[in-house]
């Protein structure tokens, strides 16, 4: 059971700021300042603590026929002992496209708030996905990463996920 105040659905600027602060203060900072190693090394050493591991999952609407265009990844779920953050990737895409449209149509500056929101979201996702002090855990996550990359090729935050333990691969090795 997880209290409602530990769940953040990121679909607006305020939720994005709250999620970024929560990830940085609740996951990244403690893992980096803790004595000893984190991430995969901690897993191998058997010294994983409650903030060392995050579970990741990606969801998207399935297509109903082969003729239908693939739907993009719609949410990225990040869960750990003390919280759950659900990133609305479709909101991120809308914000990104709106910002790009404003730039393309002679809008002000670099796309304004939309560009800043997209940058903040991709920055915090990239910090989390590449932090060597936090072990990422998923089931057949390589397919989720491929879906993220295909859905959002302009977002480099999905290019690298490390350290990653894929439960599907790991369980096949046990059997």
């Amino acid at each position: 059971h997880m209290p409602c105040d530990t769940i953040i659905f990121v679909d607006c600027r305020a939720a994005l700021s709250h999620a970024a602060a929560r990830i940085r203060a609740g996951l990244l900072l403690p893992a980096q300042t803790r004595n000893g190693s984190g991430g995969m090394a901690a897993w191998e050493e058997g010294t994983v603590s409650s903030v060392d591991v995050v579970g990741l999952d990606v969801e998207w609407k399935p297509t109903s026929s082969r003729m239908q265009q693939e739907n993009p990844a719609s949410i990225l779920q990040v869960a750990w002992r003390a919280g759950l953050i659900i990133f609305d990737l479709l909101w991120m895409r809308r914000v990104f496209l709106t910002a790009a449209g404003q730039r393309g149509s002679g809008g002000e500056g670099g796309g304004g708030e939309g560009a800043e929101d997209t940058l903040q979201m991709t920055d915090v996702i990239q910090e989390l996905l590449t932090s060597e002090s936090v072990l990422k855990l998923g089931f057949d996550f390589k397919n989720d990463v491929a879906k993220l990359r295909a859905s959002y090729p302009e977002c480099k935050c999905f290019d690298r996920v490390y350290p990653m333990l894929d439960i599907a691969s790991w369980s096949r090795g046990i059997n």
Side-chain angles (χ1 to χ4, degrees):
H1 178 308
M2 187 167 274
C4 289
D5 65 342
T6 62
I7 301 169
I8 303 169
F9 187 74
V10 179
D11 65 347
C12 67
R13 170 175 279 187
L16 175 57
S17 294
H18 185 58
R22 188 79 179 275
I23 286 173
R24 289 178 177 133
L27 281 171
L28 300 178
L29 184 61
Q32 292 166 352
T33 58
R34 181 180 58 247
N35 288 334
S37 59
M40 190 61 84
W43 177 268
E44 291 167 353
E45 295 165 7
T47 59
V48 176
S49 74
S50 62
V51 295
D52 288 317
V53 180
V54 296
L56 299 173
D57 193 26
V58 176
E59 302 294 338
W60 58 91
K61 182 179 177 183
T63 54
S64 56
S65 74
R66 293 179 198 252
M67 302 299 289
Q68 190 178 9
Q69 183 178 357
E70 284 281 321
N71 291 309
S74 56
I75 62 171
L76 168 63
Q77 301 168 82
V78 178
W80 69 102
R81 170 169 263 185
L84 169 66
I85 297 175
I86 301 170
F87 288 97
D88 181 347
L89 300 173
L90 298 177
W91 171 74
M92 180 181 74
R93 169 179 266 171
R94 281 189 303 274
V95 168
F96 178 80
L97 293 175
T98 300
Q102 289 172 352
R103 284 192 307 268
S105 64
E108 295 286 320
E113 295 177 357
E116 291 172 19
D117 289 341
T118 303
L119 186 60
Q120 182 181 11
M121 189 167 187
T122 57
D123 281 354
V124 74
I125 291 171
Q126 185 169 20
E127 285 176 51
L128 177 65
L129 295 182
T130 60
S131 172
E132 293 190 15
S133 58
V134 177
L135 176 63
K136 278 62 80 177
L137 187 68
F139 189 88
D140 205 18
F141 198 69
K142 67 181 181 304
N143 288 326
D144 286 356
V145 171
K147 183 68 170 183
L148 287 167
R149 289 176 184 156
S151 298
Y152 307 100
E154 68 280 355
C155 294
K156 300 304 178 199
C157 63
F158 303 122
D159 285 354
R160 183 171 182 259
V161 180
Y162 182 82
M164 177 73 201
L165 177 61
D166 194 318
I167 296 294
S169 300
W170 181 69
S171 67
R172 282 189 286 268
I174 291 176
N175 296 329

